[in-house]
Amino acid sequence: MSSYTPPPASPSRRRVLSLAGLGLLGLALTGCAEEDSLAQQANSGDRKGYIAGDGTVSEYPAAERGEPVQFEGTLFDGTVVDAEQLRGAPALLNFWYAGCAPCRVEAPDLRELAERFDGQVAFYGVNQRDERPTAEAFERTFEIPYPSFADKDGGVLMALSAYVPPQAVPTTLVLDAQGRVAARILGVADRSVLETLLEDSVAEAA
């Protein structure tokens, strides 16, 4: 398990303008409220099986991102992929599973963004619960064009536990071209916000 503690998030001027235009400026600020919300859901006993974030966006300044993340996982097709293979271009990791209602909400937007950034950003899902047939049925339904890690053993999740709270699905990480976490969204990813984060990562890598 990683012992790295992410630095405080710091929204760029462009991100502030983007969020303000959406009425989401308050979500750019991270702190105790975010963690308290997750803790309350974890202790609620409602058995829904996931902790739904509120869409809180954390953006990490390039100079404070720490070391590149390290992980290795197996895709549902059996291909083994590690973090080093993703370096050289931005990447997106979306933690999901088929029975997660918020995951279904954001799936069409993730599909569209994967198509828009094809060849610029590598998209991967990290499926935390499903067997291959269930995951593939979800991917067919929502026409997901990118592969997912089969992560029922929690290997990828644990390697990224400094950024992804247990059971907090969906969670989306944007990695920069060096493999460092540039941004995180807890909960359903707002399409325009995520699009801006990806644009920024592509521009930074150019």
Side-chain angles (χ1 to χ4, degrees), residues 113-135:
L113 289 173
E115 293 169 348
R116 191 204 149 178
F117 288 95
D118 184 34
Q120 297 177 291
V121 179
F123 278 62
Y124 287 90
V126 181
N127 187 290
Q128 299 177 244
R129 297 195 179 189
D130 300 324
E131 299 294 342
R132 182 172 181 174
T134 302

Side-chain angles (χ1 to χ4, degrees), residues 76 131-138 140:
F76 278 108
E131 299 294 342
R132 182 172 181 174
T134 302
E136 290 182 341
F138 180 100
R140 286 194 301 272

Side-chain angles (χ1 to χ4, degrees), residues 14-170:
R14 184 179 181 190
R15 280 275 296 110
V16 170
L17 293 174
S18 174
L19 291 173
L22 292 165
L24 297 173
L25 179 57
L27 298 183
L29 304 177
T30 59
C32 294
E34 166 191 314
E35 302 303 331
D36 287 349
S37 173
L38 297 177
Q40 288 169 8
Q41 290 185 63
N43 295 325
S44 68
D46 58 15
R47 298 187 180 181
K48 66 186 178 183
Y50 62 89
I51 300 173
D54 59 6
T56 300
V57 180
S58 301
E59 189 171 11
Y60 305 101
E64 301 175 19
R65 289 176 191 165
E67 297 298 316
V69 297
Q70 301 285 345
F71 66 85
E72 180 179 284
T74 303
L75 305 179
F76 278 108
D77 68 4
T79 303
V80 177
V81 176
D82 64 41
E84 292 187 5
Q85 292 174 252
L86 306 185
R87 294 174 195 167
L92 177 145
L93 300 176
N94 175 253
F95 290 76
W96 70 283
Y97 65 92
C100 159
C103 301
R104 303 176 73 86
V105 170
E106 69 178 7
D109 290 336
L110 288 169
R111 180 192 69 236
E112 292 177 6
L113 289 173
E115 293 169 348
R116 191 204 149 178
F117 288 95
D118 184 34
Q120 297 177 291
V121 179
F123 278 62
Y124 287 90
V126 181
N127 187 290
Q128 299 177 244
R129 297 195 179 189
D130 300 324
E131 299 294 342
R132 182 172 181 174
T134 302
E136 290 182 341
F138 180 100
E139 291 169 346
R140 286 194 301 272
T141 297
F142 291 98
E143 301 179 331
I144 302 299
Y146 52 86
S148 280
F149 291 95
D151 199 47
K152 284 186 70 175
D153 65 358
V156 177
L157 174 65
M158 292 298 290
L160 297 169
S161 61
Y163 296 95
V164 185
Q167 292 189 296
V169 288

